Amino acid sequence: MELTAPIDAYCERIGTGFWAEPLNALSNLAFFAAAALGLWYWRRGPARDRPSLYLICLVAIIGTGSFLFHTFANRWSSFADVIPIALFIFAYFGLALCRFVGLSPMAAFVGTLAFVAASLAAEPLLASQLGSSSGYVAGLFALYAIGGYLVARDHPEGWRVFAAGGVFTVSLAFRMVDLPLCPEWPRGTHFLWHTLNAATLGLLLVAAVRGATPEPR
């Protein structure tokens, strides 16, 4: 596998230069804004728990990795893009099972492993209809499932998680229409995927921080 092999997968990229995708690259600033929002809540909250802080740092890493991918646009930078996103999805799922649903750490771990397996199994099945966006469908359903469960139980963070699912739905739609709309919209819509993804992650960070309980000292 050639790690420096170029990747041209988005409407905005029409050349090989570092700034060939300016909107796609600069829109990653939204992830740093989401991380800053999460950190603001974390520093003012009573818990200041480490899992929430790790997730905040991971959102900043997501912004960095995505920026690298949309500037270098090659194989190694694609790994820097997708790996932190996958880590956040699975880590947040496990945290939600513990913090919001109330499962034990062991049960949440087993549940997360099952979610990983289901995600990997579903992706190739959906790829023919959704392309590279198929890998995000499991995360979308998880947001609605956990958010809906929490809303039904009147959990204070339920609507925030459910709303994150709604924002992510629109975000995923913009990702999917980037290439089909390219002839009419040469700048593409992928930058809106970044912006709305950041809003999704910001909602989830706030929910994680607000749903934490102070650790015993």
Side-chain angles (χ1 to χ4, degrees):
M1 179 184 295
E2 178 56 59
L3 293 179
T4 58
I7 296 176
D8 183 359
Y10 302 100
C11 176
E12 189 182 20
R13 179 165 287 274
I14 57 174
T16 58
F18 186 85
W19 289 111
E21 298 179 52
L23 288 180
N24 289 348
L26 293 176
S27 57
N28 288 295
L29 290 171
F31 291 108
F32 294 98
L37 175 67
L39 186 61
W40 187 88
Y41 272 92
W42 185 85
R43 293 183 63 182
R44 285 156 180 77
R48 293 197 179 187
D49 63 305
R50 283 171 291 181
S52 294
L53 183 60
Y54 296 153
L55 289 173
I56 291 168
C57 293
L58 193 50
V59 169
I61 294 172
I62 287 172
T64 302
S66 183
F67 175 81
L68 292 174
F69 180 48
H70 290 287
T71 48
F72 289 97
N74 53 24
R75 186 67 59 187
W76 71 260
S77 59
S78 73
F79 292 136
D81 179 35
V82 300
I83 291 176
I85 295 173
L87 288 176
F88 183 93
I89 291 172
F90 299 135
Y92 199 95
F93 184 84
L95 179 73
L97 292 182
C98 277
R99 182 162 297 179
F100 300 147
V101 180
L103 297 186
S104 68
M106 180 55 68
F109 178 72
V110 173
T112 302
L113 288 181
F115 176 61
V116 172
S119 300
L120 294 176
E123 184 173 354
L125 297 177
L126 298 171
S128 60
Q129 289 79 32
L130 304 179
S132 61
S133 298
S134 60
Y136 299 101
V137 173
L140 175 62
F141 278 109
L143 287 176
Y144 281 127
I146 294 176
Y149 172 81
L150 297 178
V151 169
R153 296 179 62 87
D154 203 27
H155 190 284
E157 299 306 317
W159 280 111
R160 207 179 308 273
V161 176
F162 196 83
V167 176
F168 191 57
T169 300
V170 180
S171 177
L172 193 58
F174 278 121
R175 187 183 197 277
M176 293 172 62
V177 301
D178 178 63
L179 289 178
L181 291 182
C182 198
E184 291 77 26
W185 193 258
R187 285 297 185 182
T189 59
H190 195 77
F191 71 97
L192 295 171
W193 154 260
H194 290 162
T195 305
L196 292 174
N197 258 8
T200 300
L201 298 184
L203 286 169
L204 294 176
L205 289 179
V206 173
V209 171
R210 289 170 59 92
T213 55
E215 297 178 350
R217 299 184 182 277

